Amino acid sequence: MTDASPAPRARARVRAPELIGKGGWLNTGGKQLSLADLRGSIVVLDFWTFCCINCLHVLDELRELEERHRDTVVIIGVHSPKFVHEAEHAAVVDAVERYGVHHPVLDDPELATWKQFAVRAWPTLVVIDPEGYVVAQHAGEGHAHAIEKLVEELEAEHSAKGTLRRGDGPYVPPEPEPTVLRFPGKALRLPNGNLLVSDSTRHALVELAADGETVIRRIGSGERGFDDGPAQSARFSEPQGLALRPDGTAVVVADTVNHALREVDLATGAVRTLAGTGRQWWQGAATSGPAREVDLSSPWDVAWFDGRVWIAMAGVHQLWTYDPATGTVSVAAGTTNEGLVDGPAAEAWFAQPSGLAATRDRLWVADSETSALRYVTREGDGYTVGTAVGTGLFDFGHRDGAAQQALLQHPLGVTALPDGSVAVSDTYNHALRRYDPASDEVSTLATDLREPSDAVVVDGDVVVVESARHRLTRLRLPEEAVRVAAAAHRTQRPATEVAPGRLQLDVVFQAPAGQKLDERYGPSTRLLVSSTPAELLASGEGKGTDLTRELVLNPEAGEGVLHVSAMAASCDDDPTNEYPACHVHQQDWGVPVKLTEGGATRLPLVLAGMDADGE
């Protein structure tokens, strides 16, 4: 009897470089790992940085793969920092616990392994077979299904060859720390004077007495999940933002990893879902409609403004609203493109908005990835977006003074102060900053905080959520600002040297095994290209459906950033299946480029697969 099973697909294989990083290894019990230690296992490298919402999405996508193939697959997180703060080893240790990373992590503060693997984007996944060869690379989100198919192929192939080794991986969990709060996210003062805090890493809310320490009650079981019901059994998943209903009876909760808005009845502690399905929003999905039927994407904060709940939708770089009167949600501002662009709300660009604070005539926004303080104002029948502090995706630091030259570093929170100014939780600078609209100046209120993520005004003082110290800290609002030494930084990421003039942009996408591009309803791919500064691109900007495009770079620009957004939809290739399963793959790249005579004339960006033409 002959074996009728299909032969394994031929695939490109490149010997994987060694894993190196000056920060060393986490979650290994102190052991230093090498590729030789991992031989026999299917290795998935996850290149991530903890500021990046897309990276956090991928961590969640990988959880099921990690569980289902725990005896054959070893996931290795390679932490590759964008911000200066993310290069601090202690900050990486905190992030690994904060986001529930249950696999080994290599701390690579100098991007050594990033460069060895020619990675160009956060997040990027690289698959290494049991013999130590790279067999696939995927940038962005939505690849878990494709990787699982590849893992199943590799398991069969290397079982037959005798090169697959089954057994426990190298993950060693750290000892849990006994603290009342664990990486709290946001705080809110309740009508009774108590403080409600989102205890994000423990998937719960905690009501504390006015002293900020005494626990009154916990809301949520403390287990990750998505269940409504009584306080003791309801479940959240890394909740963040909190907003008190105007009548003081309930609190709206941004249940971030559940991609949902929840509501807590303050009298009973009971939890119900207001908006979201539990599924993450993808390009092409509904952007308005009945709140329980529309997907959301990592809502990070909420605030009441202009009669509705505004939502900092960090996962898609937008602001949405929930209308309690109609029970509907809709996009209010942002295009889903990541960057800093002001103007009419529908045309504005945000970058991971993570904090909101409402005043009578303005909604303040902490736009974390642009290290910016933004705002929304009503203009006639619509809204307009402006910027008070910040310049773009790659400039950040700690500099006070005139707002147009002041710098922040990945702020996560903003708080309206009694005098009309706002306090900014300047998270990666470990500081509380103040912006005064009257003088258009930025100052520092306090330093030596540890990753402050929110603040709330209480009786003339300000209570700061020190997320990485797992506590609330009460500060006097100083009459004079603290003075600190100014610092300015740019993202320490190597620029790609390209030739001025014509540049061939190729987004590489290979549909996973058993799938094909979904052309049933028109083109299944999308490409959007722009640049900073705008004059970098002489031609080639704009939208299209082809994943290749000829760009022309202005020789006088010298350097800049190419912004590339790509999407591809693939479906099961089975003509007998009337309802094939479909999957969306998408990624946004910000590629720093330097125009150099003799530089590259082709820029390949791998969305999924391997670049057959080489780098």
Side-chain angles (χ1 to χ4, degrees), residues 410-448:
H410 198 79
L412 291 179
V414 60
T415 305
L417 297 179
D419 65 356
S421 65
V422 290
V424 179
S425 295
D426 194 5
T427 309
Y428 288 3
N429 279 328
H430 309 300
L432 190 68
R433 312 285 293 284
R434 175 178 178 263
Y435 169 69
D436 183 359
S439 64
D440 200 30
E441 295 254 330
V442 175
S443 56
T444 299
L445 295 176
T447 58
D448 195 31

Coordinates of all heavy atoms in Angstrom, one line a residue, residues 410-448:
H410 N 6.4 59.3 24.9 CA 5.4 58.3 25.0 C 4.5 58.5 26.2 O 4.4 57.7 27.1 CB 6.0 56.9 25.1 CG 5.1 55.8 24.7 ND1 4.7 55.5 23.5 CD2 4.4 55.0 25.5 CE1 3.9 54.5 23.5 NE2 3.6 54.1 24.7
P411 N 3.7 59.7 26.2 CA 2.8 59.9 27.3 C 1.5 59.0 27.1 O 1.0 58.8 26.0 CB 2.4 61.4 27.1 CG 2.5 61.6 25.6 CD 3.7 60.7 25.2
L412 N 1.0 58.5 28.3 CA -0.2 57.7 28.3 C -1.4 58.3 28.9 O -2.5 57.8 28.8 CB 0.1 56.3 29.0 CG 1.1 55.4 28.3 CD1 1.3 54.1 29.1 CD2 0.6 55.0 26.9
G413 N -1.2 59.4 29.6 CA -2.3 60.0 30.3 C -2.3 61.5 30.2 O -1.3 62.2 30.1
V414 N -3.5 62.1 30.3 CA -3.7 63.6 30.4 C -4.8 63.9 31.4 O -5.8 63.2 31.4 CB -3.9 64.2 29.0 CG1 -5.2 63.6 28.3 CG2 -4.0 65.7 29.0
T415 N -4.7 65.0 32.1 CA -5.6 65.3 33.2 C -5.9 66.8 33.2 O -4.9 67.6 33.2 CB -5.0 64.9 34.6 OG1 -4.6 63.5 34.6 CG2 -6.0 65.2 35.7
A416 N -7.1 67.2 33.2 CA -7.5 68.6 33.3 C -7.2 69.1 34.7 O -7.7 68.5 35.7 CB -8.9 68.8 32.9
L417 N -6.5 70.3 34.8 CA -6.2 70.9 36.1 C -7.2 72.0 36.4 O -7.8 72.6 35.4 CB -4.8 71.3 36.2 CG -3.7 70.2 36.0 CD1 -2.3 70.8 36.0 CD2 -3.9 69.2 37.1
P418 N -7.4 72.4 37.6 CA -8.4 73.4 38.0 C -8.1 74.8 37.3 O -9.1 75.6 37.1 CB -8.3 73.5 39.5 CG -7.7 72.2 39.9 CD -6.8 71.8 38.8
D419 N -6.9 75.1 37.0 CA -6.6 76.4 36.5 C -6.7 76.5 34.9 O -6.3 77.5 34.3 CB -5.2 76.9 36.9 CG -4.1 76.0 36.3 OD1 -4.4 75.0 35.6 OD2 -2.9 76.3 36.5
G420 N -7.2 75.5 34.3 CA -7.4 75.5 32.9 C -6.2 74.9 32.1 O -6.3 74.7 30.9
S421 N -5.1 74.6 32.8 CA -4.0 73.9 32.2 C -4.2 72.4 32.2 O -5.3 71.9 32.8 CB -2.7 74.2 32.8 OG -2.7 73.8 34.2
V422 N -3.3 71.6 31.7 CA -3.5 70.1 31.7 C -2.2 69.5 32.2 O -1.1 70.0 31.9 CB -3.9 69.5 30.4 CG1 -5.3 69.9 30.0 CG2 -2.9 69.9 29.3
A423 N -2.3 68.4 33.0 CA -1.1 67.6 33.4 C -1.0 66.4 32.4 O -2.0 65.8 32.1 CB -1.3 67.2 34.8
V424 N 0.2 66.2 32.0 CA 0.5 65.1 31.1 C 1.3 64.0 31.8 O 2.3 64.3 32.4 CB 1.2 65.5 29.8 CG1 1.5 64.3 28.9 CG2 0.5 66.6 29.1
S425 N 0.8 62.8 31.9 CA 1.5 61.7 32.4 C 2.6 61.3 31.4 O 2.3 60.5 30.5 CB 0.6 60.5 32.8 OG -0.3 60.9 33.8
D426 N 3.8 61.8 31.5 CA 4.8 61.6 30.6 C 5.6 60.3 30.9 O 6.6 60.3 31.5 CB 5.8 62.9 30.6 CG 6.7 62.9 29.4 OD1 6.5 62.1 28.5 OD2 7.6 63.8 29.4
T427 N 5.0 59.3 30.4 CA 5.2 57.9 30.9 C 6.7 57.5 30.8 O 7.3 57.1 31.8 CB 4.4 56.9 30.2 OG1 3.0 57.4 30.2 CG2 4.4 55.5 30.8
Y428 N 7.3 57.6 29.7 CA 8.7 57.1 29.5 C 9.7 58.1 30.0 O 10.9 57.8 30.1 CB 8.9 56.8 28.0 CG 8.2 55.5 27.6 CD1 7.4 54.8 28.4 CD2 8.4 55.0 26.3 CE1 6.7 53.7 28.0 CE2 7.8 53.9 25.9 CZ 6.9 53.2 26.7 OH 6.3 52.1 26.3
N429 N 9.3 59.3 30.4 CA 10.2 60.3 31.1 C 10.1 60.2 32.6 O 10.7 60.9 33.3 CB 10.0 61.7 30.6 CG 10.6 62.0 29.3 OD1 11.7 61.5 29.0 ND2 10.0 62.9 28.5
H430 N 9.2 59.3 33.1 CA 8.9 59.1 34.5 C 8.6 60.5 35.2 O 9.1 60.8 36.2 CB 10.1 58.5 35.2 CG 10.6 57.3 34.5 ND1 9.8 56.2 34.4 CD2 11.8 57.0 33.9 CE1 10.5 55.2 33.7 NE2 11.7 55.7 33.4
A431 N 7.8 61.3 34.5 CA 7.5 62.6 34.9 C 6.1 63.0 34.8 O 5.3 62.4 34.0 CB 8.4 63.6 34.2
L432 N 5.7 64.0 35.5 CA 4.4 64.7 35.3 C 4.6 66.0 34.8 O 5.3 66.9 35.4 CB 3.6 64.7 36.6 CG 2.1 65.2 36.5 CD1 1.3 64.1 35.8 CD2 1.5 65.4 37.9
R433 N 4.1 66.3 33.6 CA 4.4 67.6 32.9 C 3.1 68.4 32.9 O 2.0 67.9 33.1 CB 4.8 67.3 31.4 CG 5.9 66.3 31.3 CD 7.3 66.8 31.7 NE 7.8 67.8 30.8 CZ 8.3 67.6 29.6 NH1 8.4 66.4 29.1 NH2 8.8 68.6 28.9
R434 N 3.3 69.7 32.6 CA 2.1 70.6 32.5 C 2.2 71.5 31.3 O 3.2 72.0 30.9 CB 2.1 71.5 33.8 CG 1.0 72.6 33.8 CD 1.1 73.4 35.0 NE 0.1 74.5 35.1 CZ 0.3 75.7 34.8 NH1 1.5 76.1 34.4 NH2 -0.6 76.6 34.9
Y435 N 1.0 71.5 30.6 CA 0.9 72.4 29.4 C -0.1 73.5 29.8 O -1.2 73.2 30.2 CB 0.5 71.7 28.2 CG 0.1 72.6 27.1 CD1 1.1 73.4 26.4 CD2 -1.2 72.7 26.7 CE1 0.7 74.3 25.4 CE2 -1.6 73.6 25.6 CZ -0.6 74.4 25.0 OH -1.0 75.3 24.0
D436 N 0.3 74.7 29.6 CA -0.6 75.9 29.9 C -1.0 76.5 28.6 O -0.2 77.1 27.9 CB 0.2 76.9 30.8 CG -0.7 78.1 31.2 OD1 -1.9 78.1 30.8 OD2 -0.2 78.9 31.9
P437 N -2.3 76.4 28.2 CA -2.7 77.0 26.9 C -2.6 78.5 26.9 O -2.4 79.1 25.9 CB -4.2 76.5 26.9 CG -4.3 75.4 27.8 CD -3.4 75.6 28.9
A438 N -2.7 79.1 28.1 CA -2.7 80.6 28.2 C -1.3 81.1 27.7 O -1.2 82.1 27.0 CB -3.0 81.1 29.6
S439 N -0.2 80.4 28.2 CA 1.1 80.9 27.9 C 1.8 80.1 26.7 O 2.8 80.4 26.2 CB 2.0 80.8 29.1 OG 2.2 79.4 29.5
D440 N 1.1 78.9 26.4 CA 1.6 78.0 25.4 C 3.0 77.5 25.8 O 3.9 77.4 24.9 CB 1.7 78.7 24.0 CG 1.8 77.7 22.8 OD1 1.2 76.6 23.0 OD2 2.4 78.0 21.8
E441 N 3.1 77.2 27.1 CA 4.4 76.7 27.6 C 4.3 75.4 28.3 O 3.2 75.0 28.8 CB 4.9 77.7 28.6 CG 5.3 79.1 28.1 CD 6.8 79.3 28.0 OE1 7.5 78.7 28.8 OE2 7.2 80.0 27.1
V442 N 5.3 74.6 28.3 CA 5.4 73.3 28.9 C 6.4 73.4 30.1 O 7.5 73.9 29.9 CB 5.8 72.2 27.9 CG1 6.0 70.9 28.6 CG2 4.8 72.1 26.8
S443 N 6.0 72.8 31.2 CA 6.9 72.7 32.4 C 6.8 71.3 33.0 O 6.0 70.5 32.6 CB 6.5 73.8 33.4 OG 5.2 73.6 33.8
T444 N 7.7 71.1 34.0 CA 7.7 69.8 34.6 C 7.2 70.0 36.1 O 7.7 70.8 36.8 CB 9.1 69.2 34.7 OG1 9.5 69.0 33.3 CG2 9.1 67.9 35.4
L445 N 6.1 69.2 36.4 CA 5.6 69.3 37.8 C 6.3 68.4 38.8 O 6.4 68.7 39.9 CB 4.1 68.9 37.7 CG 3.2 69.9 37.0 CD1 1.7 69.3 37.0 CD2 3.2 71.3 37.6
A446 N 6.7 67.2 38.3 CA 7.3 66.2 39.2 C 8.1 65.2 38.4 O 7.8 64.9 37.2 CB 6.3 65.5 40.0
T447 N 9.2 64.8 39.0 CA 10.0 63.7 38.3 C 10.2 62.6 39.3 O 9.6 62.6 40.4 CB 11.4 64.3 38.0 OG1 12.1 64.8 39.2 CG2 11.3 65.4 37.0
D448 N 11.0 61.6 39.0 CA 11.2 60.4 39.8 C 9.9 59.6 40.0 O 9.8 59.0 41.1 CB 11.9 60.8 41.1 CG 12.4 59.5 41.8 OD1 12.8 58.6 41.1 OD2 12.4 59.5 43.1

